[in-house]
Amino acid sequence: MNKFSAKSFGASQHAWVVFIAVIAILSLSLGGLIWLTQAPDNSLPDFRRQFASLRDLESQWDREILSLQLGISPNYDAVTNTARDLKLGLARLEAQSSSDESLTSTQPLVKSYRESVEQKAWLSEQVKASYAMLRNSVAVLPNAISDAYEHPEALKTIAGGNKRISDLLTETITGMVSFTISPTVLLRDSVEERINDTRAAAQSVSPELSDAINRFLVQIEVVIKERQRGNELMLAITAVPIEVAANRVQTELQSLEETKVGTERMLWDLTVTLAALLVLTFVAFVFVLSRRFVQLGRDNRMLQEVNENVEEQLMQSAKLSALGQMVAGITHEINTPLAYVKAVFELIKERVLVAPEKIVKDVVNEDDEEAAREAREELETLLDDGLHGIEEITTLVRTMKNFSRLDKGHIESFSVEEGLESALLIARSELKYVAEVKREFDSVPQIMGSPSQIRQVLLNLVVNAVDAMTAMDRRGILTLRTRITSSDTVQIDVCDNGPGIPEDVIGKIFDPFFTTKPVGQGTGMGLSICYRIVENHGGTITVSSKPGKGTVFTITLPRQGEKFPEPLRSPNVAYDKSKPSYAA
Amino acid sequence: MNTGELSSCPPCSIGQLRQDDDISQIKRTSASSRSRAALLSSVGGILCLCLFTLLASAGVMISGENRSDEPISPIPLEVPLDQAKVKLGRSLFADSRLSAGNGVSCASCHLFERGLTDGLPISRGLPGSPGGTNTLTLFNVGLNAKLGWDGHFLSLQDQAKAVVQDKHRMGAKWDDVVPLLRNDIALTATFNQIYKDGIQRDNVIDALAEFEKSLDTPNAPFDRYLRGDDNAISEEAKSGYQLFKNYGCVSCHQGVNVGGNMLQVFGIFGTPEAASQGPKTPGAAQGSGIDDDRPVFRVPSLRNVAQTAPYFHDGSVATLTEAIGVMAKYQLGRSISDEDVAKIEVFLKSLSGEYQGVPVGNL
């Protein structure tokens, strides 16, 4: 597991970019595909619809042609209009199939379908003409016959035969009827024979009758011819391969449709696949990210810990370095009482060794008693002074010990004023040549916190003030102020009337490693550490300065210590768990 | 087969035979006439049979109401058209910019006072390219399923497209006409109001076609008769119509436009003078397959025929009477008595309708 996470962590710097690139590519292609599938291509469905309606028109036309052939249509309007609409529609369809790229494969098939329709129409035109002629001639026959029968000659036997004209006429008509009912070659030949016989016979009669007979025969011939023709035309119409041509178009349209559906399906599958890939990539991305975040979190925490350790060490080292700087002053401080004690001891030694009888001598007279008393008092005073001096040294040592202790932020109740006094004590050597000390203490109550840390802060501020006023040629005033504010915080002011902090610098003074002192003299950590300490205590530290006038550092510290629970509460009061505990 | 059918059935019906003058004549003669009559009856019966086999024609209900099964149907009274286009088409109809050299417009040969023809036997054509056929009337042209003497064009649009470029008629080129029209600001504005893409060849043709469709002449007296008004035409006209049907004229001159929907040989029985040039007669349909030896024409419409003299493709016949005679002789192979011709003529005159309420004869 470690290996994987290390690998992913190491690789994830690149993986970021790769992942984002992959996601971007997938999204773009997905978008492109969706756009493609959305783009409606209506030309094929439109074409199919048009073709279907033309097929309907064609079947209507068939019905009308049939009515025509059966003689049951009142006129030719229907069949002619339908044929025209069909022809015009097919011309449009053909034009569309050649102009539309996706439909070009249908163009030759539509053309052949159209040609077969034209063929059928051409034949049906002939049917119309032929039928009209046939109908008219048949209609005329009775009159033609009666015209012929008007003449008495019609009933006379023909010369050179045993038939009458009327018989021949009858035979001809019967022959014609037979042929019209069943147009076979045999019957046709038979009726033509009759016609020839009648025509021949007509030559031998009077011109009037002959004329009438000939007119009659002409009509019969038209009937025969058109009946034959009508038959042939009907057969020819059924032979036109219109159905085949139409089916070919239909098949082609079908396959185009299938291709289209296939393409659409493929696109759809591709879209779904890409979408799935996108989702997977996303999930992997999220997974990797979360691991990274976990890793980052861990690293963060580790860094924070290290940071805190470092902070502590830094504070400690700053303290010690600050302390180191104080060594000269402190040794001087210690030297003074030390010399004093040494002097006292030497005096005592002198008194005791040189004239011991003065102290322990028997008392003889009043003068001796007086002298002895004086000697004893003098010794007492000397010893007291010596002890006092030792006490001073002790205090200094204790203070320094307190100050230098590496404490882990041991929380206790302490007084800031005491802290200020300790700071003054430690800095006394430098302070006494540089400035007057003004104390404006308000007897503020004790606060909860880490005493050593706060003392460190106060010492730092005092030393800074002293450093600032050292440069001046007059004696400065160091004012130390404490008061309690309305919101139950303790406010400490450390004011000096040094040269002040210029505007361009004042914003940076709390920055780590920032110092205006030359190299070797200051670490630049002092104020930043102070800042951290005060923050940790839940307080604030601010600075106010006027160049030429002086500087005021103001610290506020909460009395109760928001960060710390008060340990000395009475057992009756509930322990307040809501306050956050001070984290080391 | 009911009585109605029988009565419309030309001379085959037995009942009618009895009424026939000729037959009664025959009856008056001797015994031989009786056998003749018997012969005649049997012949008539056989003919009936053959006719029935062949024709089985639709029953013609002669009622006082709507005569919807007649071979001729009345012109529709209302035709839904885009009036803006009709108006534009009317102005283009008289616009000579559609011809070469600004010479003629459609209205030059299709005059309203002459039944939308020019009254000449053969159309003038253009200088150097004389016309070849008689100008056809544009009245009811929208009802023709076939257009022109040869029935070549199927739609008004196709015909208009071709006629502008025909050197015997307008002699122009669309590529010249359209820019010329575009120079006209007012015309462009009118076009832009009606057509999205302004003045285009197809839009000009569309406007012209719309106007042509508005040239119907409904409400002819015969149409009113067909719609059930028995008093719309005289008795002479009614019997003329019967003759028209019985003689067989109606086999070709049928439909809503009394013709205009089929092709037919001109000169079925014999060759009329007008068909003397045979199958290549100017105006004849080519490649129709109907006849190789004789000219084939589209059957013209007989509506408003009284106003569209002279007649036939070469305008060779000046009067209706003569025309009817030629038709009977050469198309039906019959000679018709003058009486019958007169009746048919009265019938034909009843086919003249009204253009926008005004009888065509009064335009």
Side-chain angles (χ1 to χ4, degrees):
Chain A
M1 199 59 183
N2 266 337
K3 202 168 147 203
F4 176 78
S5 58
K7 187 170 145 198
S8 68
F9 177 73
S12 64
Q13 292 288 34
H14 302 286
W16 262 91
V17 181
V18 168
F19 264 117
I20 288 188
V22 168
I23 286 178
I25 290 172
L26 284 179
S27 312
L28 275 175
S29 4
L30 195 64
L33 272 178
I34 288 177
W35 179 81
L36 261 180
T37 54
Q38 290 306 332
D41 177 21
N42 276 334
S43 61
L44 186 60
D46 269 345
F47 196 79
R48 292 196 81 178
R49 238 177 283 133
Q50 274 184 284
F51 182 69
S53 70
L54 285 175
R55 287 289 279 157
D56 285 342
L57 205 59
E58 200 211 309
S59 55
Q60 191 185 319
W61 188 40
D62 278 339
R63 285 197 294 278
E64 278 150 11
I65 290 178
L66 191 62
S67 311
L68 192 148
Q69 284 165 344
L70 291 176
I72 56 176
S73 46
N75 56 46
Y76 295 148
D77 273 345
V79 70
T80 319
N81 286 336
T82 311
R84 176 206 51 203
D85 292 341
L86 191 55
K87 282 195 221 175
L88 289 174
L90 276 173
R92 269 196 304 272
L93 205 70
E94 195 181 331
Q96 197 182 337
S97 73
S98 56
S99 66
D100 190 328
E101 252 185 53
S102 61
L103 298 167
T104 36
S105 60
T106 59
Q107 196 262 345
L109 300 170
V110 172
K111 182 160 175 231
S112 86
Y113 174 52
R114 188 169 86 110
E115 280 166 359
S116 54
V117 165
E118 300 266 354
Q119 173 82 357
K120 192 164 165 179
W122 180 75
L123 290 168
S124 75
E125 284 302 316
Q126 295 170 50
V127 167
K128 278 152 58 177
S130 164
Y131 184 71
M133 287 194 266
L134 174 66
R135 191 184 157 184
N136 285 354
S137 291
V138 166
V140 133
L141 285 178
N143 261 356
I145 291 169
S146 65
D147 279 351
Y149 275 26
E150 250 176 50
H151 303 270
E153 261 189 284
L155 293 171
K156 273 214 225 125
T157 315
I158 304 165
N162 53 354
K163 286 193 188 157
R164 300 168 296 173
I165 293 282
S166 52
D167 297 329
L168 284 174
L169 288 180
T170 313
E171 281 176 14
T172 313
I173 287 191
T174 327
M176 181 208 83
V177 170
S178 313
F179 176 72
T180 47
I181 292 173
S182 167
T184 62
V185 175
L186 199 66
L187 290 172
R188 190 195 174 130
D189 289 341
S190 147
V191 73
E192 273 175 4
E193 219 185 284
R194 301 271 183 280
I195 289 171
N196 290 336
D197 290 344
T198 315
R199 193 166 273 132
Q203 284 167 357
S204 60
V205 295
S206 69
E208 239 187 88
L209 180 58
S210 175
D211 194 42
I213 290 172
N214 279 323
R215 270 188 289 122
F216 162 77
L217 286 176
V218 162
Q219 299 286 7
I220 296 257
E221 277 174 332
V222 169
V223 172
I224 304 289
K225 177 176 163 208
E226 296 309 327
R227 179 70 181 91
Q228 173 91 3
R229 190 118 181 272
N231 212 33
E232 285 161 5
L233 285 170
M234 260 172 72
L235 285 172
I237 284 182
T238 54
V240 175
I242 225 177
E243 207 50 40
V244 171
N247 282 339
R248 277 209 205 101
V249 178
Q250 185 70 13
T251 315
E252 180 61 27
L253 286 177
Q254 195 88 326
S255 81
L256 278 179
E257 179 82 28
E258 275 165 20
T259 316
K260 185 175 163 200
V261 167
T263 314
E264 278 176 3
R265 190 168 294 131
M266 189 191 77
L267 277 179
W268 175 246
D269 287 344
L270 202 62
T271 310
V272 170
T273 315
L274 274 183
L277 271 178
L278 194 61
V279 168
L280 279 174
T281 315
F282 222 73
V283 167
F285 188 55
V286 167
F287 181 65
V288 165
L289 264 182
S290 71
R291 290 191 80 87
R292 198 164 149 70
F293 279 133
V294 161
Q295 186 71 24
L296 278 173
R298 237 183 273 141
D299 293 345
N300 234 15
R301 278 196 295 282
M302 189 186 79
L303 281 172
Q304 259 185 334
E305 258 179 49
V306 168
N307 201 28
E308 276 165 13
N309 287 349
V310 165
E311 249 186 37
E312 270 175 36
Q313 284 170 16
L314 207 58
M315 278 203 267
Q316 181 64 4
S317 70
K319 222 190 317 192
L320 289 178
S321 87
L323 201 60
Q325 285 170 4
M326 302 300 306
V327 163
I330 285 166
T331 49
H332 194 259
E333 284 301 301
I334 292 180
N335 261 350
T336 313
L338 206 59
Y340 187 69
V341 166
K342 189 173 170 201
V344 160
F345 263 94
E346 277 179 356
L347 261 173
I348 292 172
K349 182 181 174 185
E350 197 186 310
R351 292 282 183 278
V352 165
L353 286 179
V354 167
E357 67 280 4
K358 271 208 176 152
I359 304 164
V360 296
K361 191 160 115 167
D362 284 330
V363 171
V364 177
N365 52 14
E366 275 181 28
D367 291 329
D368 286 342
E369 209 179 300
E370 187 80 32
R373 203 172 16 96
E374 276 181 26
R376 266 210 299 282
E377 278 176 12
E378 194 196 4
L379 211 58
E380 226 178 302
T381 311
L382 281 172
L383 285 168
D384 277 337
D385 281 345
L387 281 171
H388 178 72
I390 290 172
E391 193 60 47
E392 269 192 32
I393 295 171
T394 314
T395 308
L396 254 176
V397 169
R398 198 191 324 122
T399 306
M400 277 180 8
K401 196 165 97 174
N402 276 347
F403 189 71
S404 70
R405 216 172 7 151
L406 178 65
D407 65 319
K408 289 270 182 200
H410 183 64
I411 314 301
E412 54 188 81
S413 178
F414 69 98
S415 161
V416 298
E417 284 157 1
E418 269 179 34
L420 281 168
E421 291 296 352
S422 320
L424 284 172
L425 191 57
I426 294 177
R428 188 167 61 184
S429 60
E430 290 179 16
L431 197 54
K432 49 177 194 236
Y433 300 116
V434 168
E436 297 283 341
V437 177
K438 236 165 77 172
R439 291 172 180 71
E440 292 169 17
F441 289 169
D442 212 6
S443 305
V444 290
Q446 298 201 330
I447 64 167
M448 295 295 293
S450 166
S452 64
Q453 286 186 357
I454 300 294
R455 279 195 209 113
Q456 182 181 348
V457 171
L458 298 172
L459 176 63
N460 202 323
L461 292 179
V462 165
V463 166
N464 282 354
V466 165
D467 287 339
M469 291 187 283
T470 309
M472 295 198 314
D473 40 349
R474 59 172 166 84
R475 213 171 152 72
I477 304 172
L478 174 69
T479 313
L480 298 175
R481 212 178 290 131
T482 62
R483 65 185 187 93
I484 182 122
T485 65
S486 53
S487 48
D488 208 26
T489 60
V490 168
Q491 187 180 316
I492 304 158
D493 291 331
V494 177
C495 328
D496 67 68
N497 56 356
I501 305 173
E503 245 186 73
D504 55 331
V505 166
I506 199 166
K508 302 187 203 166
I509 57 173
F510 288 113
D511 292 348
F513 305 110
F514 180 80
T515 178
T516 51
K517 294 186 183 147
V519 174
Q521 276 200 22
T523 56
M525 294 305 294
L527 278 177
S528 72
I529 288 175
C530 292
Y531 188 81
R532 286 301 304 277
I533 290 169
V534 171
E535 286 273 298
N536 283 347
H537 279 73
T540 62
I541 176 167
T542 54
V543 61
S544 171
S545 177
K546 211 158 178 150
K549 283 282 167 78
T551 312
V552 178
F553 276 87
T554 307
I555 300 176
T556 62
L557 290 166
R559 201 167 80 83
Q560 303 286 26
E562 286 155 19
K563 294 197 168 202
F564 331 128
E566 222 179 319
L568 296 171
R569 280 177 171 256
S570 69
N572 291 337
V573 177
Y575 194 73
D576 193 340
K577 282 210 155 108
S578 67
K579 298 222 169 90
S581 57
Y582 174 70
Chain B
M1 201 165 152
N2 50 30
T3 45
E5 261 186 286
L6 272 175
S7 61
S8 77
C9 225
C12 113
S13 67
I14 300 198
Q16 195 161 338
L17 273 172
R18 294 217 181 93
Q19 288 162 11
D20 200 274
D21 278 351
D22 294 350
I23 308 304
S24 52
Q25 260 183 11
I26 292 164
K27 268 194 170 171
R28 265 184 248 119
T29 58
S30 60
S32 57
S33 79
R34 235 178 284 127
S35 62
R36 202 187 280 163
L39 212 60
L40 215 52
S41 312
S42 56
V43 164
I46 293 168
L47 274 174
C48 238
L49 190 65
C50 83
L51 257 179
F52 177 58
T53 315
L54 286 169
L55 291 182
S57 56
V60 178
M61 308 295 168
I62 309 266
S63 60
E65 298 311 311
N66 236 328
R67 297 178 167 91
S68 52
D69 290 335
E70 293 286 337
I72 299 175
S73 46
I75 296 178
L77 293 169
E78 293 282 326
V79 179
L81 293 170
D82 182 333
Q83 289 307 320
K85 287 187 186 178
V86 168
K87 190 161 166 230
L88 178 57
R90 181 190 294 268
S91 72
L92 288 169
F93 189 75
D95 196 330
S96 54
R97 286 173 293 188
L98 267 67
S99 68
N102 216 5
V104 294
S105 69
C106 314
S108 308
C109 293
H110 295 284
L111 300 124
F112 275 96
E113 317 82 73
R114 303 247 166 92
L116 282 183
T117 71
D118 51 12
L120 301 170
I122 299 204
S123 73
R124 269 188 302 253
L126 294 173
S129 306
T133 51
N134 177 259
T135 307
L136 285 163
T137 177
L138 288 184
F139 278 127
N140 308 309
V141 72
L143 300 173
N144 282 330
K146 293 180 171 307
L147 299 168
W149 280 109
D150 58 2
H152 172 64
F153 293 109
L154 295 181
S155 68
L156 293 172
Q157 286 82 357
D158 287 343
Q159 196 273 346
K161 198 194 307 192
V163 81
V164 164
Q165 303 202 131
D166 186 333
K167 67 177 198 274
H168 298 282
R169 295 193 169 92
M170 313 272 283
K173 289 203 187 339
W174 280 109
D175 287 343
D176 298 330
V177 169
V178 172
L180 193 59
L181 292 177
R182 284 200 186 128
N183 285 339
D184 184 332
I185 302 173
L187 192 64
T188 311
T190 317
F191 262 92
N192 285 338
Q193 276 177 336
I194 303 170
Y195 298 98
K196 261 195 307 223
D197 45 353
I199 298 186
Q200 302 290 341
R201 179 198 66 184
D202 289 342
N203 295 340
V204 173
I205 290 172
D206 185 66
L208 279 170
E210 199 79 359
F211 169 66
E212 285 179 279
K213 283 189 242 174
S214 77
L215 293 170
D216 286 359
T217 61
N219 255 349
F222 185 68
D223 279 5
R224 282 185 265 129
Y225 172 71
L226 285 176
R227 289 207 159 93
D229 181 0
D230 284 342
N231 298 324
I233 55 177
S234 62
E235 289 308 311
E236 215 186 338
K238 284 180 199 169
S239 69
Y241 177 53
Q242 277 302 115
L243 291 170
F244 192 79
K245 284 194 287 188
N246 294 346
Y247 279 129
C249 314
V250 85
S251 306
C252 299
H253 292 282
Q254 34 67 41
V256 67
N257 229 5
V258 199
N261 60 9
M262 62 181 281
L263 303 171
Q264 187 56 281
V265 172
F266 185 49
I268 303 177
F269 300 96
T271 308
E273 219 184 292
S276 53
Q277 291 178 59
K280 300 275 185 195
T281 309
Q286 302 301 319
S288 66
I290 294 175
D291 203 300
D292 296 328
D293 307 316
R294 297 175 286 186
V296 174
F297 291 98
R298 177 205 68 157
V299 172
S301 162
L302 291 183
R303 288 203 178 270
N304 303 309
V305 71
Q307 280 78 32
T308 59
Y311 306 107
F312 301 139
H313 62 278
D314 57 357
S316 54
V317 170
T319 62
L320 257 185
T321 320
E322 212 185 316
I324 295 169
V326 166
M327 280 278 126
K329 179 172 176 192
Y330 295 105
Q331 297 300 98
L332 305 173
R334 315 177 50 158
S335 57
I336 308 185
S337 67
D338 291 340
E339 257 182 352
D340 287 352
V341 168
K343 287 181 187 167
I344 292 174
E345 193 173 336
V346 172
F347 158 65
L348 290 177
K349 285 191 176 148
S350 78
L351 290 173
S352 298
E354 295 168 2
Y355 177 62
Q356 295 183 342
V358 180
V360 168
N362 295 353
L363 282 173

